[in-house]
Amino acid sequence: MSEPADSSTRYTVAVRALCEFTAKQGDLDLRFTPSPTAQEGIAGHAVVTARRGDGYRTEVSLSGDHGPLHVRGRADGYDARENLLEEIKTYRGQLASMPDNHRHLHWAQLRVYGHLLCAELGLEQVNLALVYYEIGSGHETVLRETRSAPELRALFEEQCGRFIAWAEQELRHREARDAALAALPFPHAAFRPGQRQLAETVFKANSAGRCLLAQAPTGIGKTVGSLFPVLKAAPNQRIDKIFFLAAKTPGRQLALDAAATIRGASPSLPLRVLELAARDKACEHPDKACQGTSCPLAKGFYDRLPAARAAALDVPVLDRAALRAVGLAHDVCPYYLGSEMARWSDVVVGDYNYYFDGGAMLYALAQANGWRASVLVDEAHNMVARARAMYSSRIDRAALRLARAAAPAPVKKTLTKLARAWGEIDAHAPHPYQVLPAPPEKFLSALQGATSAINDHLAEQAVPLDPALQEFLFDALAFGRLAESFGEHSLCDVARQDQGKDTTLSIRNVVPAPFLKSRFDDAHSVTLFSATLSPWHYFADLLGLPPDTGWVDVESPFTAGQLQVTIAADISTRYQHRAASLAPIARLMAEQYARQPGNYLAFFSSFDYLAQAADLFARQHPEVPVWRQERRMSERERAAFLDRFEPNGRGVGFAVLGGAFGEGVDLPGARLIGAFVATLGLPQLNPVNEQLRARMQAMFGAGYDYTYLYPGLQKVVQAAGRVIRTEQDQGVVYLIDDRFDTPGVRALLPRWWQQ
């Protein structure tokens, strides 16, 4: 082995990452297989290691150097008496069905560990064993070989030799990137008012390695104002990756535009930017399975990946279109090329789930590779609802019935047993909606038996599952995983449907904090920013932010003179008053339009309320152009809705508060001169929300505020924020409901509004 490189020019790589780069070959094969869950894998490792004798070492940390490479990892186990190093892999079903390229990769990893062990202990040779543990039967299959230290060293040096050119290229890129970032100028002639305060606070948070909640008004340039300071902090803080996460596609585009703006000010900046799109939007062959015998872009994927990977590095901004172009040029799947390029990009733009959900790819990569990551969360007022959804699950008895009808005999027996256990739940929960203390143990046992039977059948037959059976399996696995961590942070409930014939069993997350805490703790810094992050303790409590998280309320660059805010306190939009509210709302809108014709948005709490208001307004004022949001609009239909807001145009667009047009929409200047918000945006009063309110009251002493008031007013402020986008804009906002005139509600509205 060569002498270690100087730390400033050393490239650290995990054993697994090294071998995946150099030893993966053949087809991409991502068909659903009955692989063990993470919990089952951990348990399986524990079973195998518990069978070994005294003196058996587990999780053996090993490392070594070759040229600029510092290779490190943890071998599963070592028995000094037998001089035996083991790599343990858990699986389900028939070992013979495991693809050859998986076995090849496993041996490559084990042989690297073997070399590192020989070097550390001065061994002349070592016995190596791949231990395959079948979760269902508990059977071990052990494949052994004995290798000499010189053999293993040669194999190790061959692996490193195939990676060194890439590593040296990455070192040069990192050195050039950090030098350029240290000298990076702000991409505009000057900061906008408020933008400098935001940028300075984000920079300080990253310099201190702290998390930050930043409330900043819409229109100050939050995207550039948050991304630029993290880039500036990256060299001194040794930040490896910046993850820019958005709730919706427009937010991702804003991040890509901001990166382009920053690069435009420094054309030679060696910054690699990647957009991760959802698989269903990036897939070229949605009718084909992700395997070589089905999809041409999966056939030989790993053989063609090196050339595609090298070509992708020549594209500074790998957005969805660029990834597709590179992927198709090299006959590899664009979606999985994107997953690969996340390892080699500096800024990765994607959805929240890539870092925060249970199987988050970016979080897993950061942990496996020891990355120091700074995370930016755009429109972070969405995080509570999105995180709750990530850690919630439901299964339907109707789906069980369909699955049982499609199941083969061995599986049908376990599904029948599950149906009986479900029947017992229904018998003891006769109400339309009922909360259970916890997921019933008998039901969970039957559910585990059913999923195991389906997995065993799939492993033995190696044929695709019936769609109904597969869908139920996915739902059941998700439900079972959440049941393992069930606690005060979640609710388990039963709801009746179809006149009580069928029930739905749900685990609903109420407080995401226990699941998200590690995500915040393991990042170098996480900045959550939005125009509506008040009050800060609501987000800190529910998301599990660290105690030293910073908070900044950025001063608005806008003045009260730009926005006339009027509270229509003589109108109630409560459900029981809606019919009576329609005529005065139509009159108020018509009077404002007559005073100042132009483009307006009118927001209502539901599609039904919207339809009633739009119909009445159109009948009474046919001279005013009207267009409305419809249910389940396509991207093209949403674009057409927004295209109606032409500069100096005239008319009223009717929309649902909290929907596609309530945030993330930019209509500056005369494209939009006013908004009517005919609701407080309070979530619907129903049994689920009332349970959530009770839990919020018990945990935080603020049940109504945490469940209804804060989420509702966040949507109101977001919708009103569509009106004033620049320091030159002028507009009006009508808040239509008497409750807007109460002190508690007024206190939650932006300080710069003149009411």
Side-chain angles (χ1 to χ4, degrees):
M1 184 180 297
S2 60
E3 291 298 316
D6 180 82
S7 60
S8 64
T9 58
R10 188 171 68 169
Y11 188 94
T12 299
V13 60
V15 170
R16 181 181 178 88
L18 172 68
C19 294
E20 285 183 339
F21 189 95
T22 59
K24 264 193 172 181
Q25 56 187 238
D27 298 350
L28 182 69
D29 192 344
L30 291 157
R31 291 169 291 178
F32 173 73
T33 56
S35 56
T37 66
Q39 294 271 6
E40 289 173 331
I42 293 170
H45 274 69
V47 169
V48 172
T49 57
R51 292 172 177 175
R52 306 306 188 246
D54 294 338
Y56 184 84
R57 294 171 56 198
T58 61
E59 297 290 312
V60 183
S61 294
L62 296 167
S63 63
D65 297 289
H66 180 77
L69 297 184
H70 178 67
V71 183
R72 66 185 183 189
R74 286 199 301 267
D76 288 329
Y78 177 61
D79 188 332
R81 291 170 303 180
E82 296 188 33
N83 190 25
L84 177 66
L85 186 68
E86 293 186 320
E87 181 74 6
I88 303 167
K89 302 294 182 184
T90 58
Y91 72 102
R92 279 189 181 277
Q94 302 295 322
L95 186 59
S97 65
M98 181 177 290
D100 290 340
N101 58 359
H102 288 200
R103 188 82 51 80
H104 182 77
L105 178 63
H106 298 161
W107 274 120
Q109 291 176 223
L110 180 55
R111 288 163 183 160
V112 169
Y113 284 128
H115 162 72
L116 297 176
L117 183 73
C118 287
E120 181 174 301
L121 301 182
L123 303 175
E124 295 182 0
Q125 66 177 33
V126 65
N127 299 311
L128 304 175
L130 277 179
V131 180
Y132 289 103
Y133 176 78
E134 206 283 317
I135 290 291
S137 65
H139 176 71
E140 290 182 36
T141 300
V142 182
L143 308 178
R144 293 196 181 206
E145 68 176 24
T146 299
R147 293 275 186 167
S148 69
E151 282 182 292
L152 291 171
R153 176 174 178 168
L155 290 170
F156 174 74
E157 290 180 347
E158 179 188 2
Q159 296 279 79
C160 290
R162 296 170 64 185
F163 187 70
I164 278 178
W166 185 271
E168 289 176 337
Q169 167 190 276
E170 290 300 292
L171 286 169
R172 290 193 300 271
H173 167 74
R174 178 61 175 266
E175 182 180 7
R177 185 203 80 169
D178 285 353
L181 291 179
L184 184 68
F186 188 66
H188 300 295
F191 285 92
R192 297 183 192 177
Q195 192 180 42
R196 178 182 289 277
Q197 183 187 6
L198 173 64
E200 289 178 348
T201 310
V202 172
F203 181 84
K204 290 175 182 176
N206 277 268
S207 297
R210 296 172 61 194
C211 293
L212 174 69
L213 275 170
Q215 180 168 275
T218 297
I220 68 165
K222 291 194 295 292
T223 312
V224 170
S226 58
L227 179 57
F228 174 76
V230 180
L231 291 170
K232 290 295 290 184
N236 285 339
Q237 297 304 313
R238 295 179 290 112
I239 294 172
D240 300 301
K241 306 286 180 183
I242 300 170
F243 301 147
F244 192 107
L245 309 177
K248 300 175 182 177
T249 301
R252 293 206 310 268
Q253 188 58 53
L254 285 173
L256 294 171
D257 292 344
T261 297
I262 291 170
R263 288 184 56 85
S266 302
S268 61
L269 175 65
L271 187 72
R272 301 172 183 165
V273 180
L274 168 71
E275 178 189 16
L276 293 176
R279 179 174 169 179
D280 61 344
K281 293 183 178 180
C283 181
E284 288 292 314
H285 300 288
D287 59 325
K288 296 179 173 60
C290 289
Q291 60 166 338
T293 57
S294 178
C295 179
L297 300 181
K299 181 70 175 176
F301 176 88
Y302 292 109
D303 302 327
R304 294 191 295 273
L305 178 60
R309 182 169 51 207
L313 286 191
D314 292 332
V315 183
V317 179
L318 279 169
D319 59 12
R320 179 177 159 189
L323 269 175
R324 182 176 186 270
V326 174
L328 297 185
H330 291 82
D331 292 324
V332 299
C333 172
Y335 175 77
Y336 287 103
L337 175 60
S339 299
E340 169 67 19
M341 296 314 297
R343 301 170 183 270
W344 317 111
S345 298
D346 303 305
V347 179
V348 182
V349 178
D351 188 86
Y352 293 167
N353 65 287
Y354 279 105
Y355 187 80
F356 287 107
D357 80 6
M361 181 185 76
L362 292 179
Y363 178 72
L365 284 174
Q367 293 300 103
N369 293 284
W371 291 338
R372 182 173 290 211
S374 180
V375 183
L376 296 171
V377 183
D378 187 22
E379 301 294 0
H381 60 277
N382 291 296
M383 265 296 293
V384 172
R386 284 290 305 276
R388 281 173 171 164
M390 291 174 196
Y391 295 98
S392 297
S393 180
R394 54 177 280 175
I395 48 177
D396 296 316
R397 192 165 185 184
L400 170 59
R401 189 164 55 249
L402 293 173
R404 186 169 51 167
V411 173
K412 186 169 293 189
K413 182 178 179 181
T414 64
L415 293 178
T416 300
K417 183 178 180 181
L418 177 61
R420 286 198 297 268
W422 203 318
E424 291 183 21
I425 294 176
D426 288 351
H428 291 90
H431 303 295
Y433 176 82
Q434 196 161 335
V435 173
L436 307 178
E441 288 297 329
K442 186 175 181 180
F443 175 83
L444 292 179
S445 177
L447 188 70
Q448 174 63 42
T451 57
S452 295
I454 299 172
N455 280 332
D456 291 345
H457 167 75
L458 182 59
E460 292 169 4
Q461 301 300 318
V463 295
L465 287 176
D466 178 272
L469 187 57
Q470 179 169 295
E471 183 177 354
F472 180 78
L473 174 61
F474 290 168
D475 291 343
L477 289 172
F479 190 93
R481 284 193 294 270
L482 286 176
E484 292 176 354
S485 57
F486 185 81
E488 185 186 25
H489 50 69
S490 298
L491 294 168
C492 181
D493 60 37
V494 182
R496 295 190 175 274
Q497 299 163 352
D498 298 331
Q499 290 77 46
K501 294 179 182 178
D502 286 316
T503 55
T504 297
L505 191 60
S506 301
I507 294 177
R508 303 178 191 271
N509 179 252
V510 175
V511 181
F515 297 106
L516 301 185
K517 184 179 184 300
S518 62
R519 303 302 201 263
F520 294 112
D521 291 344
D522 293 337
H524 172 69
S525 173
V526 180
T527 296
L528 301 101
F529 58 98
S530 168
T532 48
L533 286 181
S534 292
W536 67 269
H537 57 79
Y538 168 80
F539 295 95
D541 287 343
L542 295 187
L543 298 179
L545 293 167
D548 65 345
T549 296
W551 159 252
V552 62
D553 189 0
V554 176
E555 290 293 330
S556 174
F558 311 130
T559 66
Q562 290 182 253
L563 183 68
Q564 177 186 331
V565 180
T566 300
I567 295 177
D570 57 340
I571 301 175
S572 168
T573 63
R574 295 170 181 84
Y575 185 78
Q576 63 270 31
H577 302 149
R578 284 183 186 169
S581 74
L582 295 172
I585 290 174
R587 184 167 55 252
L588 181 152
M589 292 171 60
E591 290 172 352
Q592 172 58 36
Y593 186 89
R595 281 193 299 271
Q596 189 177 6
N599 288 328
Y600 293 84
L601 269 169
F603 293 98
F604 294 84
S605 56
S606 69
F607 280 101
D608 289 341
Y609 195 15
L610 178 157
Q612 294 171 35
D615 288 346
L616 178 62
F617 186 83
R619 285 198 306 270
Q620 293 183 347
H621 305 283
E623 74 283 0
V624 181
V626 167
W627 55 99
R628 65 183 74 184
Q629 179 181 356
E630 304 289 349
R631 288 182 169 89
R632 295 177 291 277
M633 294 175 79
S634 66
E635 287 190 20
R636 179 178 296 178
E637 290 168 333
R638 290 197 295 270
F641 180 95
L642 293 175
D643 287 343
R644 295 288 297 271
F645 292 88
E646 297 177 348
N648 300 309
R650 295 187 178 188
V652 180
F654 285 75
V656 172
L657 190 70
F661 308 112
E663 61 178 82
V665 171
D666 197 21
L667 299 170
R671 291 189 67 189
L672 182 69
I673 65 169
F676 306 94
V677 184
T679 172
L680 259 70
L682 305 182
Q684 185 181 15
L685 186 68
N686 58 35
V688 174
N689 282 333
E690 281 298 281
Q691 286 294 327
L692 192 148
R693 180 192 59 77
R695 185 63 59 88
M696 294 293 94
Q697 184 65 33
M699 296 180 70
F700 306 112
Y704 175 78
D705 290 349
Y706 275 35
T707 306
Y708 296 106
L709 184 59
Y710 298 159
L713 287 185
Q714 285 161 17
K715 289 184 285 186
V716 170
V717 175
Q718 281 290 326
R722 301 312 96 203
V723 178
I724 302 298
R725 308 297 294 174
T726 73
E727 294 172 67
Q728 290 73 44
D729 286 357
Q730 298 281 332
V732 298
V733 167
Y734 284 85
L735 304 177
I736 306 172
D737 193 280
D738 59 289
R739 289 167 290 181
F740 281 115
D741 205 27
T742 60
V745 171
R746 279 177 172 267
L748 294 170
L749 301 178
R751 291 178 296 166
W752 67 274
W753 284 10
Q754 179 179 322
Q755 301 157 27

